[in-house]
Amino acid sequence: MYIRWVVRKHKNAEVANTNFYDAYLVESYRDERGQPRQRTVAYLGNIRQINNEFPTIERELFLLRADRILETLPELTENDRQEIREALRRKIPPLNRDEVIRAFTANLTWYRQWWEQNGCPLTDDELLSIVRATRGGMEAV
């Protein structure tokens, strides 16, 4: 089995430097006459490439969705799943630590601004309480 990438250009390529990458899980086999053929096992999702880069959050969402789809395919062994995940990650790299910190900081900044604009600003202690609550999966106080 392998990943077949189908790349589509944005319909208005002069304005948007965007491509769409569709990932299909494909297997090779021989038909009843012995001729080599391929069949699609599953559609694993798509991701945009903007200005030759895959956006950070879209990379993570794409990989999460593809993992969930792979888990639903009973014909795959765990070794198959791992090889397919590695092939996906060679094309669409997972987030690194710095990217996660930048995304977390940007999200926290947005939430803090929202709270302030809506008349319910949080103190630093309240924000820290929210962050600490994530360790145990408990509600923040």
Side-chain angles (χ1 to χ4, degrees):
M1 282 193 239
Y2 62 96
I3 305 297
R4 176 178 291 151
W5 292 97
V6 176
V7 182
R8 299 175 286 119
K9 292 200 176 286
H10 191 279
K11 63 183 173 184
N12 196 353
E14 299 84 39
V15 175
N17 186 7
T18 303
N19 294 319
F20 302 92
Y21 283 69
D22 295 304
Y24 294 89
L25 181 61
V26 176
E27 71 176 346
S28 297
Y29 71 99
R30 292 195 178 269
D31 66 13
E32 61 280 347
R33 293 178 294 154
Q35 297 296 311
R37 300 278 183 240
Q38 296 86 36
R39 73 175 133 230
T40 301
V41 175
Y43 175 69
L44 299 177
N46 66 35
I47 184 170
R48 294 181 306 161
Q49 183 187 53
I50 303 169
N51 295 325
N52 296 318
E53 291 185 12
F54 296 109
T56 305
I57 192 67
E58 291 186 33
R59 288 183 3 232
E60 188 63 21
L61 291 172
F62 170 81
L63 293 171
L64 285 170
R65 284 188 309 249
D67 278 346
R68 287 192 180 127
I69 292 167
L70 290 172
E71 289 300 321
T72 67
L73 302 174
E75 66 270 25
L76 297 180
T77 67
E78 192 52 42
N79 190 47
D80 289 336
R81 283 187 188 89
Q82 191 57 35
E83 287 179 17
I84 295 162
R85 286 181 185 114
E86 289 171 9
L88 289 169
R89 283 161 176 74
R90 282 192 294 274
K91 183 76 166 179
I92 311 296
L95 301 183
N96 63 43
R97 185 178 194 277
D98 290 339
E99 290 171 321
V100 172
I101 290 172
R102 279 195 303 273
F104 179 75
T105 303
N107 283 324
L108 193 55
T109 300
W110 183 90
Y111 280 112
R112 186 170 222 167
Q113 289 171 351
W114 184 91
W115 285 317
E116 289 171 359
Q117 292 169 357
N118 287 279
C120 51
L122 296 179
T123 66
D124 288 350
D125 286 340
E126 288 172 312
L127 286 172
L128 190 53
S129 172
I130 292 169
V131 171
R132 284 186 177 136
T134 63
R135 284 192 176 151
M138 62 187 131
E139 281 284 320
V141 179

